[in-house]
Amino acid sequence: MGTVDEEWERRSDALWKSIDDYEEAEFIARIDALAAELPEGSAVALFERAFLALALVDVGREREAVAESLTALSKYLPRYNRSLARYAEALADPK
């Protein structure tokens, strides 16, 4: 599948409506799988991950939101991708 069509939109909508039915890691994996159906660099695919960060902020999970954003951003900053990814992991799992 190369472009967003009505079927893809329907599945995306259904997934977002069922967010409370999944553990965080499983929901992220499902969003990633759905976004992976779109062409590399698709703005819609990126939006699905950036929107997840906003949803996390709305429910008071700001650290996870920043971690999610950094993880998505790290893929586009080759010079810093490992350090951003590690920082994102540390934010998401403060011990």
Side-chain angles (χ1 to χ4, degrees):
M1 171 182 225
T3 60
V4 176
D5 62 12
E6 287 183 33
E7 172 64 18
W8 191 94
E9 287 285 345
R10 186 193 61 73
R11 291 184 294 129
S12 176
D13 290 346
L15 183 57
W16 280 105
K17 287 177 184 174
S18 66
I19 190 171
D20 293 329
D21 297 341
Y22 301 100
E23 294 293 325
E24 180 184 352
E26 183 181 0
F27 185 78
I28 291 170
R30 288 178 179 260
I31 287 291
D32 283 341
L34 192 61
E37 295 176 12
L38 300 175
E40 188 168 333
S42 165
V44 173
L46 293 173
F47 172 80
E48 293 296 328
R49 284 305 288 271
F51 193 80
L52 176 57
L54 294 174
L56 289 170
V57 168
D58 281 347
V59 295
R61 295 163 57 181
E62 292 85 2
R63 290 181 68 89
E64 292 172 68
V66 171
E68 190 63 37
S69 297
L70 289 177
T71 299
L73 182 61
S74 71
K75 298 172 187 174
Y76 298 94
L77 300 171
R79 187 174 201 177
Y80 304 103
N81 63 359
R82 284 185 287 174
S83 58
L84 275 178
R86 279 188 234 135
Y87 187 60
E89 288 174 17
L91 281 171
D93 187 24
K95 290 185 179 182

Coordinates of all heavy atoms in Angstrom, one line a residue:
M1 N 0.9 -1.2 0.0 CA 0.0 0.0 0.0 C 0.9 1.2 0.0 O 1.7 1.4 0.9 CB -0.9 -0.1 1.2 CG -1.7 1.2 1.5 SD -2.6 1.0 3.0 CE -4.1 1.6 2.4
G2 N 0.7 2.1 -0.9 CA 1.6 3.2 -1.0 C 1.1 4.6 -0.6 O 1.8 5.5 -0.2
T3 N -0.2 4.7 -0.6 CA -0.8 6.0 -0.2 C -1.9 5.7 0.9 O -2.4 4.6 1.1 CB -1.5 6.7 -1.4 OG1 -2.5 5.8 -1.9 CG2 -0.4 7.0 -2.4
V4 N -2.3 6.8 1.5 CA -3.4 6.7 2.5 C -4.7 6.7 1.7 O -5.0 7.5 0.8 CB -3.4 8.0 3.4 CG1 -4.6 7.9 4.3 CG2 -2.1 8.1 4.1
D5 N -5.5 5.6 2.0 CA -6.8 5.5 1.4 C -7.9 5.4 2.5 O -7.5 5.5 3.7 CB -6.9 4.4 0.4 CG -6.6 3.0 1.1 OD1 -6.7 2.9 2.3 OD2 -6.5 2.0 0.3
E6 N -9.1 5.3 2.1 CA -10.2 5.2 3.1 C -10.0 4.1 4.1 O -10.3 4.2 5.3 CB -11.5 5.2 2.4 CG -11.9 6.5 1.8 CD -13.3 6.5 1.1 OE1 -14.2 5.8 1.6 OE2 -13.5 7.2 0.1
E7 N -9.6 2.9 3.6 CA -9.4 1.7 4.4 C -8.3 2.0 5.4 O -8.5 1.6 6.6 CB -9.1 0.5 3.5 CG -8.7 -0.7 4.3 CD -9.8 -1.3 5.2 OE1 -11.0 -0.9 5.0 OE2 -9.5 -2.0 6.1
W8 N -7.2 2.6 5.0 CA -6.1 2.9 6.0 C -6.6 3.9 7.0 O -6.3 3.7 8.2 CB -4.9 3.4 5.2 CG -3.7 3.5 6.1 CD1 -2.7 2.6 6.2 CD2 -3.3 4.6 6.9 NE1 -1.8 3.0 7.1 CE2 -2.1 4.3 7.5 CE3 -3.9 5.8 7.3 CZ2 -1.5 5.1 8.5 CZ3 -3.3 6.6 8.2 CH2 -2.1 6.3 8.8
E9 N -7.3 4.9 6.6 CA -7.9 5.9 7.5 C -8.8 5.2 8.5 O -8.8 5.5 9.7 CB -8.6 7.0 6.8 CG -7.7 7.9 6.0 CD -7.0 8.9 7.0 OE1 -7.3 9.1 8.1 OE2 -6.0 9.5 6.5
R10 N -9.7 4.3 8.0 CA -10.6 3.6 8.9 C -9.9 2.8 10.0 O -10.2 2.9 11.1 CB -11.5 2.7 8.1 CG -12.6 2.1 8.9 CD -13.3 0.9 8.2 NE -12.4 -0.2 7.8 CZ -11.9 -1.1 8.7 NH1 -12.2 -1.0 9.9 NH2 -11.1 -2.0 8.3
R11 N -8.8 2.1 9.5 CA -8.1 1.3 10.5 C -7.3 2.2 11.5 O -7.2 1.9 12.7 CB -7.1 0.4 9.8 CG -7.8 -0.7 9.0 CD -6.9 -1.7 8.4 NE -6.1 -1.1 7.3 CZ -4.8 -1.1 7.2 NH1 -4.1 -1.8 8.0 NH2 -4.2 -0.5 6.2
S12 N -6.8 3.3 11.0 CA -6.1 4.3 11.9 C -7.1 4.8 12.9 O -6.8 4.9 14.2 CB -5.5 5.4 11.1 OG -5.0 6.4 11.9
D13 N -8.3 5.3 12.5 CA -9.3 5.8 13.4 C -9.7 4.7 14.4 O -9.8 5.0 15.6 CB -10.6 6.2 12.6 CG -10.3 7.5 11.8 OD1 -9.3 8.2 12.0 OD2 -11.2 7.7 10.9
A14 N -9.9 3.5 14.0 CA -10.3 2.4 14.9 C -9.2 2.2 16.0 O -9.5 2.0 17.1 CB -10.6 1.1 14.1
L15 N -8.0 2.2 15.5 CA -6.9 2.0 16.5 C -6.8 3.1 17.5 O -6.7 2.8 18.7 CB -5.5 1.9 15.7 CG -4.3 1.6 16.6 CD1 -4.5 0.3 17.4 CD2 -3.1 1.6 15.7
W16 N -6.9 4.4 17.1 CA -6.9 5.5 18.1 C -8.1 5.4 19.0 O -8.0 5.7 20.2 CB -6.9 6.8 17.3 CG -5.5 7.1 16.9 CD1 -5.0 7.1 15.6 CD2 -4.4 7.6 17.7 NE1 -3.7 7.4 15.6 CE2 -3.3 7.7 16.9 CE3 -4.2 7.8 19.1 CZ2 -2.0 8.1 17.4 CZ3 -3.0 8.2 19.6 CH2 -1.9 8.4 18.7
K17 N -9.2 5.0 18.5 CA -10.4 4.9 19.4 C -10.3 3.8 20.4 O -10.9 3.8 21.5 CB -11.7 4.6 18.6 CG -12.1 5.8 17.8 CD -13.3 5.5 16.9 CE -13.7 6.8 16.1 NZ -14.7 6.5 15.2
S18 N -9.4 2.8 20.2 CA -9.2 1.7 21.1 C -7.9 1.8 21.9 O -7.4 0.8 22.5 CB -9.2 0.4 20.3 OG -8.1 0.3 19.4
I19 N -7.3 3.0 22.0 CA -6.0 3.2 22.7 C -6.0 2.6 24.1 O -5.0 2.1 24.5 CB -5.6 4.7 22.7 CG1 -4.2 4.8 23.1 CG2 -6.6 5.5 23.4 CD1 -3.6 6.2 23.0
D20 N -7.1 2.7 24.8 CA -7.2 2.3 26.2 C -7.2 0.7 26.3 O -7.1 0.2 27.4 CB -8.4 2.8 26.9 CG -8.3 4.3 27.1 OD1 -7.2 4.9 27.2 OD2 -9.4 5.0 27.1
D21 N -7.4 0.1 25.2 CA -7.4 -1.4 25.2 C -6.0 -2.0 25.1 O -5.9 -3.3 25.2 CB -8.2 -1.9 24.0 CG -9.7 -1.5 24.0 OD1 -10.2 -1.1 25.1 OD2 -10.3 -1.5 23.0
Y22 N -5.0 -1.2 25.0 CA -3.6 -1.7 24.8 C -2.7 -1.2 25.8 O -2.8 -0.1 26.3 CB -3.1 -1.3 23.4 CG -3.9 -1.8 22.3 CD1 -4.8 -1.0 21.6 CD2 -3.8 -3.1 21.8 CE1 -5.6 -1.4 20.6 CE2 -4.6 -3.6 20.8 CZ -5.5 -2.7 20.1 OH -6.2 -3.2 19.1
E23 N -1.7 -2.0 26.1 CA -0.5 -1.5 26.9 C 0.2 -0.5 26.0 O 0.1 -0.6 24.7 CB 0.4 -2.6 27.3 CG -0.2 -3.6 28.3 CD -0.5 -3.0 29.7 OE1 0.3 -2.1 30.1 OE2 -1.5 -3.3 30.3
E24 N 1.0 0.4 26.6 CA 1.6 1.4 25.8 C 2.5 0.8 24.7 O 2.4 1.2 23.5 CB 2.5 2.3 26.7 CG 3.2 3.4 25.9 CD 4.1 4.2 26.8 OE1 4.1 4.1 28.0 OE2 4.9 5.0 26.2
A25 N 3.4 -0.2 25.0 CA 4.3 -0.7 24.0 C 3.5 -1.4 22.9 O 4.0 -1.3 21.7 CB 5.2 -1.7 24.7
E26 N 2.5 -2.1 23.2 CA 1.7 -2.7 22.1 C 1.0 -1.7 21.2 O 1.0 -1.9 20.0 CB 0.6 -3.7 22.7 CG -0.1 -4.4 21.6 CD -1.2 -5.3 22.2 OE1 -1.4 -5.4 23.4 OE2 -1.9 -6.0 21.3
F27 N 0.5 -0.6 21.8 CA -0.2 0.4 21.0 C 0.9 1.1 20.1 O 0.6 1.2 18.9 CB -0.8 1.4 21.9 CG -1.6 2.4 21.1 CD1 -2.9 2.1 20.6 CD2 -1.1 3.7 20.8 CE1 -3.6 3.0 19.8 CE2 -1.8 4.6 20.0 CZ -3.0 4.3 19.5
I28 N 2.0 1.4 20.6 CA 3.1 2.0 19.8 C 3.5 1.0 18.7 O 3.6 1.5 17.5 CB 4.3 2.4 20.6 CG1 3.9 3.5 21.6 CG2 5.5 2.7 19.8 CD1 5.0 3.8 22.6
A29 N 3.6 -0.2 18.9 CA 3.9 -1.2 17.9 C 2.8 -1.3 16.8 O 3.1 -1.3 15.6 CB 4.1 -2.6 18.5
R30 N 1.6 -1.2 17.2 CA 0.5 -1.2 16.2 C 0.5 0.1 15.4 O 0.3 0.1 14.2 CB -0.8 -1.4 16.9 CG -1.0 -2.8 17.4 CD -2.3 -2.9 18.2 NE -2.5 -4.3 18.6 CZ -3.2 -5.2 18.0 NH1 -3.9 -4.9 16.9 NH2 -3.3 -6.4 18.5
I31 N 0.8 1.3 16.0 CA 0.9 2.5 15.3 C 2.1 2.4 14.3 O 1.9 2.8 13.1 CB 1.1 3.7 16.2 CG1 -0.2 4.0 16.9 CG2 1.6 4.9 15.5 CD1 -1.3 4.6 16.0
D32 N 3.2 1.9 14.8 CA 4.4 1.7 13.9 C 4.0 0.8 12.7 O 4.4 1.1 11.6 CB 5.5 1.2 14.7 CG 6.2 2.2 15.5 OD1 6.0 3.4 15.3 OD2 7.0 1.8 16.5
A33 N 3.4 -0.3 13.0 CA 3.0 -1.2 11.9 C 2.1 -0.5 10.9 O 2.3 -0.7 9.6 CB 2.4 -2.5 12.4
L34 N 1.1 0.2 11.3 CA 0.2 0.9 10.5 C 1.0 2.0 9.6 O 0.8 2.1 8.4 CB -0.9 1.6 11.3 CG -2.1 2.1 10.5 CD1 -2.8 1.0 9.8 CD2 -3.1 2.8 11.5
A35 N 1.8 2.7 10.3 CA 2.6 3.8 9.6 C 3.6 3.2 8.6 O 3.8 3.8 7.6 CB 3.3 4.6 10.6
A36 N 4.1 2.0 8.9 CA 5.0 1.3 8.0 C 4.4 0.9 6.7 O 5.1 0.7 5.7 CB 5.6 0.1 8.7
E37 N 3.1 0.9 6.6 CA 2.4 0.6 5.3 C 2.5 1.8 4.4 O 2.3 1.6 3.2 CB 1.0 0.3 5.6 CG 0.7 -1.0 6.4 CD -0.8 -1.2 6.7 OE1 -1.6 -0.5 6.1 OE2 -1.1 -2.0 7.5
L38 N 2.9 2.9 4.9 CA 3.0 4.1 4.0 C 4.4 4.3 3.5 O 5.3 3.7 4.1 CB 2.5 5.4 4.8 CG 1.1 5.3 5.3 CD1 0.8 6.5 6.2 CD2 0.1 5.2 4.2
P39 N 4.6 5.1 2.4 CA 5.9 5.2 1.9 C 6.9 5.9 2.9 O 6.5 6.6 3.8 CB 5.7 6.2 0.7 CG 4.3 6.2 0.4 CD 3.6 5.8 1.7
E40 N 8.2 5.5 2.8 CA 9.2 6.1 3.7 C 9.1 7.6 3.6 O 9.1 8.2 2.6 CB 10.5 5.5 3.4 CG 11.6 5.9 4.4 CD 12.9 5.2 4.2 OE1 12.9 4.1 3.7 OE2 13.9 5.8 4.6
G41 N 9.2 8.2 4.8 CA 9.2 9.7 4.8 C 7.8 10.3 4.7 O 7.6 11.5 4.7
S42 N 6.8 9.5 4.8 CA 5.4 10.0 4.7 C 5.1 10.9 5.8 O 5.3 10.5 7.0 CB 4.4 8.8 4.7 OG 3.1 9.2 4.9
A43 N 4.6 12.0 5.5 CA 4.2 13.0 6.6 C 3.1 12.4 7.5 O 3.0 12.6 8.7 CB 3.8 14.3 6.0
V44 N 2.2 11.6 6.9 CA 1.1 11.0 7.6 C 1.6 10.0 8.6 O 1.2 10.0 9.8 CB 0.1 10.4 6.7 CG1 -1.0 9.6 7.5 CG2 -0.6 11.4 5.8
A45 N 2.6 9.2 8.2 CA 3.2 8.3 9.1 C 3.9 9.0 10.3 O 3.8 8.6 11.5 CB 4.2 7.4 8.4
L46 N 4.6 10.0 10.0 CA 5.3 10.8 11.1 C 4.2 11.4 12.0 O 4.4 11.5 13.2 CB 6.1 11.9 10.5 CG 7.4 11.4 9.7 CD1 8.0 12.6 9.0 CD2 8.3 10.7 10.6
F47 N 3.1 11.9 11.4 CA 2.1 12.5 12.2 C 1.5 11.5 13.2 O 1.2 11.9 14.4 CB 1.0 13.0 11.3 CG -0.3 13.5 12.1 CD1 -0.3 14.7 12.6 CD2 -1.4 12.6 12.2 CE1 -1.4 15.2 13.3 CE2 -2.5 13.1 12.9 CZ -2.5 14.3 13.4
E48 N 1.3 10.3 12.8 CA 0.8 9.3 13.8 C 1.6 9.1 15.0 O 1.1 9.0 16.1 CB 0.7 7.9 13.1 CG -0.4 7.9 11.9 CD -1.8 8.1 12.4 OE1 -2.1 7.7 13.5 OE2 -2.6 8.7 11.6
R49 N 3.0 9.2 14.8 CA 3.9 9.1 16.0 C 3.9 10.4 16.8 O 3.9 10.4 18.0 CB 5.4 8.8 15.6 CG 5.6 7.4 15.2 CD 5.2 6.4 16.3 NE 6.1 6.3 17.4 CZ 7.1 5.5 17.6 NH1 7.6 4.8 16.6 NH2 7.8 5.5 18.7
A50 N 4.0 11.6 16.0 CA 4.0 12.9 16.8 C 2.7 13.1 17.6 O 2.7 13.6 18.7 CB 4.2 14.1 15.8
F51 N 1.5 12.6 17.0 CA 0.2 12.7 17.6 C 0.1 11.9 18.9 O -0.5 12.3 19.9 CB -0.9 12.3 16.7 CG -2.3 12.7 17.2 CD1 -2.7 14.0 17.0 CD2 -3.1 11.8 17.8 CE1 -4.0 14.4 17.5 CE2 -4.3 12.2 18.3 CZ -4.8 13.5 18.1
L52 N 0.8 10.7 18.9 CA 0.9 9.9 20.1 C 1.5 10.7 21.2 O 1.1 10.7 22.4 CB 1.7 8.6 19.8 CG 1.9 7.7 21.0 CD1 0.6 7.3 21.7 CD2 2.7 6.5 20.6
A53 N 2.6 11.5 20.9 CA 3.2 12.3 22.0 C 2.2 13.3 22.5 O 2.2 13.5 23.7 CB 4.4 13.0 21.4
L54 N 1.4 13.9 21.7 CA 0.4 14.9 22.2 C -0.6 14.2 23.1 O -1.0 14.8 24.1 CB -0.3 15.6 21.0 CG 0.6 16.5 20.2 CD1 -0.1 17.0 18.9 CD2 1.2 17.6 21.0
A55 N -1.0 13.0 22.7 CA -2.0 12.3 23.5 C -1.4 12.0 24.9 O -2.1 12.0 25.9 CB -2.4 11.0 22.7
L56 N -0.1 11.6 24.9 CA 0.5 11.3 26.2 C 0.5 12.6 27.1 O 0.3 12.5 28.3 CB 1.9 10.8 26.0 CG 2.0 9.4 25.4 CD1 3.4 9.0 25.0 CD2 1.4 8.4 26.4
V57 N 0.8 13.7 26.5 CA 0.8 15.0 27.3 C -0.6 15.2 27.9 O -0.7 15.6 29.0 CB 1.2 16.2 26.4 CG1 1.0 17.5 27.1 CG2 2.7 16.1 26.1
D58 N -1.6 15.0 27.1 CA -3.0 15.2 27.5 C -3.4 14.4 28.7 O -4.2 14.8 29.5 CB -4.0 15.0 26.4 CG -4.1 16.1 25.4 OD1 -3.6 17.2 25.7 OD2 -4.7 15.9 24.3
V59 N -2.7 13.2 28.9 CA -3.1 12.4 30.0 C -2.0 12.5 31.1 O -2.0 11.6 32.0 CB -3.3 10.9 29.6 CG1 -4.5 10.8 28.7 CG2 -2.1 10.3 29.0
G60 N -1.2 13.5 31.1 CA -0.2 13.8 32.1 C 1.0 12.9 32.1 O 1.7 12.8 33.1
R61 N 1.4 12.4 30.9 CA 2.5 11.6 30.8 C 3.6 12.3 29.9 O 4.0 11.8 28.9 CB 2.1 10.2 30.2 CG 1.2 9.4 31.2 CD 0.5 8.3 30.6 NE 1.3 7.3 29.9 CZ 0.8 6.3 29.3 NH1 -0.5 6.0 29.3 NH2 1.6 5.4 28.7
E62 N 4.0 13.4 30.4 CA 4.9 14.3 29.7 C 6.2 13.7 29.4 O 6.8 13.9 28.3 CB 5.1 15.7 30.4 CG 3.8 16.5 30.4 CD 2.9 16.2 31.6 OE1 3.2 15.3 32.4 OE2 1.8 16.8 31.7
R63 N 6.8 13.0 30.4 CA 8.1 12.4 30.1 C 8.1 11.4 29.0 O 9.0 11.4 28.1 CB 8.7 11.7 31.4 CG 9.1 12.7 32.5 CD 9.6 12.0 33.7 NE 10.9 11.3 33.5 CZ 12.1 11.9 33.6 NH1 12.1 13.1 34.1 NH2 13.2 11.2 33.4
E64 N 7.0 10.6 29.0 CA 6.9 9.6 27.9 C 6.7 10.3 26.5 O 7.1 9.9 25.5 CB 5.7 8.7 28.2 CG 5.9 7.8 29.3 CD 4.7 7.0 29.7 OE1 4.3 6.2 28.9 OE2 4.1 7.3 30.8
A65 N 5.9 11.5 26.6 CA 5.7 12.2 25.4 C 7.0 12.7 24.8 O 7.2 12.6 23.6 CB 4.7 13.4 25.6
V66 N 7.8 13.3 25.6 CA 9.1 13.8 25.2 C 10.0 12.6 24.7 O 10.6 12.7 23.6 CB 9.9 14.6 26.3 CG1 11.3 14.9 25.9 CG2 9.1 15.8 26.6
A67 N 10.0 11.5 25.4 CA 10.7 10.3 24.9 C 10.2 9.9 23.5 O 11.0 9.6 22.7 CB 10.6 9.2 25.9
E68 N 8.9 9.8 23.4 CA 8.4 9.4 22.1 C 8.8 10.4 21.0 O 9.2 10.0 19.9 CB 6.8 9.4 22.2 CG 6.2 8.8 21.0 CD 6.5 7.3 20.9 OE1 6.7 6.6 21.9 OE2 6.6 6.9 19.7
S69 N 8.8 11.7 21.2 CA 9.2 12.7 20.2 C 10.6 12.5 19.9 O 11.0 12.6 18.7 CB 8.9 14.1 20.8 OG 7.5 14.2 21.0
L70 N 11.5 12.4 20.9 CA 12.9 12.2 20.7 C 13.2 11.0 19.9 O 14.1 11.0 19.0 CB 13.7 12.2 22.0 CG 13.8 13.5 22.7 CD1 14.5 13.3 24.1 CD2 14.5 14.6 21.9
T71 N 12.5 9.9 20.2 CA 12.7 8.6 19.4 C 12.4 8.8 17.9 O 13.2 8.4 17.1 CB 11.9 7.5 20.0 OG1 12.2 7.3 21.4 CG2 12.0 6.2 19.2
A72 N 11.3 9.5 17.7 CA 10.9 9.7 16.3 C 11.9 10.7 15.6 O 12.3 10.5 14.5 CB 9.5 10.3 16.2
L73 N 12.3 11.7 16.3 CA 13.3 12.7 15.8 C 14.6 12.1 15.5 O 15.3 12.5 14.6 CB 13.4 13.9 16.8 CG 14.3 15.0 16.4 CD1 13.8 15.7 15.1 CD2 14.3 16.1 17.5
S74 N 15.1 11.2 16.4 CA 16.4 10.6 16.3 C 16.7 10.0 14.9 O 17.8 10.0 14.5 CB 16.7 9.6 17.4 OG 15.9 8.4 17.2
K75 N 15.7 9.5 14.3 CA 15.8 8.8 13.0 C 16.2 9.8 11.9 O 16.8 9.4 10.9 CB 14.5 8.1 12.6 CG 14.1 7.0 13.6 CD 12.8 6.5 13.3 CE 12.4 5.5 14.4 NZ 11.0 5.1 14.2
Y76 N 16.0 11.1 12.1 CA 16.3 12.1 11.1 C 17.6 12.9 11.5 O 17.9 13.9 10.7 CB 15.1 13.0 10.9 CG 13.9 12.2 10.5 CD1 13.0 11.7 11.3 CD2 13.8 11.9 9.1 CE1 12.0 10.9 10.9 CE2 12.8 11.1 8.7 CZ 11.9 10.6 9.6 OH 10.8 9.8 9.1
L77 N 18.2 12.6 12.5 CA 19.5 13.3 12.9 C 20.6 12.2 13.0 O 20.9 11.8 14.2 CB 19.3 14.0 14.2 CG 18.2 15.1 14.2 CD1 17.9 15.6 15.6 CD2 18.6 16.2 13.3
P78 N 21.1 11.8 11.9 CA 22.1 10.7 12.0 C 23.3 10.9 12.9 O 23.8 10.0 13.5 CB 22.6 10.5 10.5 CG 21.9 11.6 9.7 CD 20.9 12.3 10.6
R79 N 23.7 12.1 13.0 CA 24.8 12.4 13.9 C 24.5 12.2 15.4 O 25.4 11.9 16.2 CB 25.3 13.9 13.6 CG 26.6 14.2 14.3 CD 27.0 15.6 13.9 NE 28.4 15.7 14.2 CZ 29.1 16.8 13.9 NH1 28.5 17.8 13.3 NH2 30.4 16.9 14.2
Y80 N 23.3 12.4 15.7 CA 22.9 12.3 17.1 C 21.9 11.2 17.4 O 21.4 11.1 18.5 CB 22.2 13.6 17.5 CG 23.1 14.8 17.3 CD1 22.9 15.6 16.2 CD2 24.2 15.0 18.2 CE1 23.8 16.7 16.0 CE2 25.0 16.1 18.0 CZ 24.8 17.0 16.9 OH 25.6 18.0 16.7
N81 N 21.6 10.3 16.4 CA 20.5 9.3 16.6 C 20.7 8.4 17.8 O 19.8 8.1 18.6 CB 20.2 8.6 15.4 CG 21.3 7.7 14.9 OD1 22.4 7.7 15.4 ND2 21.1 7.0 13.8
R82 N 21.9 7.9 18.0 CA 22.1 7.0 19.2 C 22.0 7.7 20.5 O 21.3 7.2 21.4 CB 23.5 6.3 19.1 CG 23.5 5.2 18.1 CD 24.8 4.5 18.1 NE 25.8 5.3 17.5 CZ 27.0 5.1 17.4 NH1 27.5 4.0 17.9 NH2 27.9 5.9 16.8
S83 N 22.6 8.9 20.6 CA 22.5 9.6 21.9 C 21.0 10.1 22.2 O 20.6 10.0 23.3 CB 23.4 10.8 21.9 OG 23.2 11.7 20.9
L84 N 20.3 10.5 21.1 CA 18.9 10.9 21.3 C 18.1 9.7 21.7 O 17.2 9.8 22.6 CB 18.3 11.5 20.1 CG 18.5 13.0 19.9 CD1 17.9 13.5 18.6 CD2 17.9 13.8 21.0
A85 N 18.3 8.6 21.1 CA 17.6 7.3 21.4 C 17.8 6.9 22.8 O 16.9 6.5 23.5 CB 17.9 6.2 20.4
R86 N 19.1 7.0 23.3 CA 19.4 6.6 24.7 C 18.7 7.6 25.7 O 18.2 7.2 26.7 CB 20.9 6.6 24.9 CG 21.5 5.2 24.4 CD 22.9 5.1 24.7 NE 23.6 4.9 23.5 CZ 24.7 5.4 23.1 NH1 25.3 6.3 23.8 NH2 25.2 5.1 21.9
Y87 N 18.8 8.9 25.3 CA 18.2 9.8 26.2 C 16.6 9.6 26.3 O 16.1 9.7 27.4 CB 18.5 11.3 25.7 CG 18.0 12.3 26.6 CD1 18.5 12.4 27.9 CD2 17.1 13.3 26.2 CE1 18.0 13.4 28.8 CE2 16.6 14.3 27.1 CZ 17.1 14.4 28.4 OH 16.7 15.3 29.2
A88 N 16.0 9.3 25.2 CA 14.6 9.0 25.1 C 14.3 7.8 26.0 O 13.3 7.8 26.8 CB 14.1 8.7 23.7
E89 N 15.1 6.7 25.9 CA 15.0 5.5 26.8 C 15.0 5.9 28.3 O 14.2 5.4 29.1 CB 16.0 4.5 26.5 CG 15.8 3.8 25.2 CD 16.9 2.9 24.8 OE1 17.7 2.5 25.7 OE2 17.0 2.5 23.6
A90 N 16.0 6.8 28.6 CA 16.2 7.2 30.0 C 15.0 8.0 30.5 O 14.5 7.8 31.6 CB 17.5 8.0 30.2
L91 N 14.4 8.8 29.7 CA 13.3 9.6 30.0 C 12.0 8.7 30.3 O 11.3 8.9 31.2 CB 12.9 10.6 28.9 CG 13.7 11.9 28.9 CD1 13.4 12.7 27.7 CD2 13.5 12.7 30.2
A92 N 11.9 7.7 29.4 CA 10.7 6.8 29.5 C 10.8 5.9 30.6 O 9.8 5.4 31.1 CB 10.6 6.1 28.2
D93 N 12.0 5.6 31.1 CA 12.2 4.6 32.2 C 13.1 5.2 33.3 O 14.2 4.7 33.5 CB 12.8 3.3 31.6 CG 12.8 2.2 32.6 OD1 12.0 2.3 33.6 OD2 13.6 1.3 32.5
P94 N 12.6 6.2 34.0 CA 13.5 6.8 35.0 C 13.6 5.8 36.2 O 12.6 5.5 36.8 CB 12.8 8.1 35.4 CG 11.4 7.8 35.1 CD 11.3 6.8 33.9
K95 N 14.8 5.5 36.6 CA 15.0 4.6 37.7 C 15.8 5.2 38.8 O 16.5 6.1 38.7 CB 15.7 3.3 37.3 CG 14.8 2.5 36.4 CD 15.5 1.2 36.0 CE 14.6 0.4 35.2 NZ 15.1 -0.9 34.8

